[in-house]
Amino acid sequence: MRAIVLVKQVPDIRVGSVAMNPDGTIDRGSVAAITNPADLHALEAGLQLADEVWAVSMGPKKAEAALRAAIALGAERGLLLCDRLFAGSDTWATSNALAAAIDHVGGADLILGGVSALDGETGHVGPQVAQRLGIPLASGCEELRVEGSRLIARRIIEGGFELVSMELPALATVAETGFEPRYPTLPGRKRGAAAEIATLNASDLGLDSTRVGLNASPTKVAHMKAVPLRSTDCRFVDETFTLGNLAERIMDEIPRGHDTTEVDPSDAFGSGATSYRGKSDIWVVCEIDLEGGVTRASAEILSHATHLAGQLGTGTAALVIGSDIDGAITEASLYGADEVLTFEDSRLSSYRGNPETRVVANAVRRARPLILLFAATTTGRDLAPRVAAALDTGIAADCTGLYIGDWERKGRKHPQLLHQVRPAMAGGVLATCLCPEARPQIATVRPGVFAAVPNQRQLRVVPLHFDLQPGDFDVEILERSIQGSDVAIADADVVVAGGAGCGVRNWHLIEGLADTLGGRVAASRAAVEAGLAPRSIQVGQTGTTVRPQLYIACGISGALQHVVGMQASRTIVAVNRDREAPIFHYAHLGVVGEIADVIPGLTREIESLRNPSR
């Protein structure tokens, strides 16, 4: 069995932020280059599952270092796609080159890659390569095994996991919580250093400037700017501001009640609701929640899409796909959809990937909307890049801002483009992406960045009719487990988050404090990678964005990748033993000390305020 592992050389932004060049581009040489950490987990999966492992990368000559490192760990050989023509490729163009290279070498039984790259964090390349090759995909996997001719994968989803089965050949992206990378041996290092790295150029792969490189890439970066380190003038616990005083401040931040006003779903049919009656040029692909309505993330995007539609003078459509969609149809109209496009099939009770890709792509080809939006959830991050590949259009990942504006490039004006603002380089850079030529303009939107505001429309349903093929159901769902409490983290008023600094012995203290405050437990990426918490409660660029009234960060250093997911919290409290930890630049209140000492004392102080008679 042969496995091909896709590896990428990236700047090590875990230990330092990248610098910006005078022209506004990223100076990738400002920090050391390493093999993308998630790709090392994918390599380990390949080494455990396959008899023969090849490592494939695309980049300049110096990217050979990543391939030599893979060989040092046990890969049989390395293959570098190296050509000046590849420079500036977006994920669409990169997937074209990688898929062509895999075909060129005769394919593989299993193709593996990290769930995302440290620099871009798009997670698009794996799904787009799978779409190009026409093979099944399992994304965000933490467990993989091969049984006969099938791949069994446990993939992470919001609030839990699902176990899926698919026929080989297949592609899987591997999360950092699975397949702990091994260390290279001395003989391995020598073998990697001496290995001959094969090189292929664009001509070898039958590619030209219409399929790879900057000019071919449908997604353009209009501009980038560094995100400055902010300072909140943190108030530290000391002799004059005690732990008891901190507990009092924390209690002041806990909401005393909630607005219980609800919107009646039946009002969507009321005579007071209005709707745009023309063509809807902005589509939102909606996800269905556990209660049968649209997810909060989808409602947020629908709400914002109505503002974008007003700027373009068009309408908003919700695309709802599933087996029981009545509730989602009604809620989509409540949150601003002028029309609800529906595809109902009893076989689509759970997301599979291929059928949803076919439905969305076919619907877009017929109606030709200008903009197509997805939530940046595990489903959206899997589906959106597949659709973009199928439609040969651009895509921007994990956007935190969307607006309509004109753009001029090389003397040519492009009016009313969707400006897609997204963090990159672990949140240290904000990039504004555009898709000036190809349509539709596709973006995934980070949950929690827009408000879900009811905006009733008259219910107008447009059923879609497509024939699904037997091959669309080549992914079998064996098991699906979701804990609803985990899904609710984005809605919590109080979040207590733990980092790797907590350690396994102290994690129960985080849970205890959250329970005392009536809040939710969350985790940093480092805590998830250390096995302290499930990925479903991760906060940060590749996790959930939260904006609670109170956020308590315990043992979290404050890497940009994390703070971009929580910096909008009303009050931030940080506990860390290092007074120089970056988290204190974002915190309003802080305690310098060990988790094992501070959290029990803080919990007792809060309990005494809640129960003064005790």
Side-chain angles (χ1 to χ4, degrees), residues 286-321:
C286 293
E287 298 177 30
I288 301 175
D289 64 19
L290 297 176
E291 286 73 42
V294 296
T295 62
R296 183 180 181 86
S298 295
E300 292 167 352
I301 301 172
L302 278 170
S303 296
H304 190 66
T306 61
H307 296 288
L308 299 176
Q311 296 176 50
L312 289 175
T314 186
T316 302
L319 179 52
V320 178
I321 302 170

Side-chain angles (χ1 to χ4, degrees), residues 15 65 99 120 155 160 176 196 200 224 247-248 279 288 293 305 309 327-328 345 391 394 400 413 425 474 503:
V15 298
R155 60 183 299 265
E176 297 94 329
E196 181 177 346
L200 293 174
M224 291 184 288
E248 292 172 353
K279 179 176 180 287
I288 301 175
D345 190 303
L391 296 172
T400 56
K413 293 183 178 180
M425 297 291 174
D474 53 7

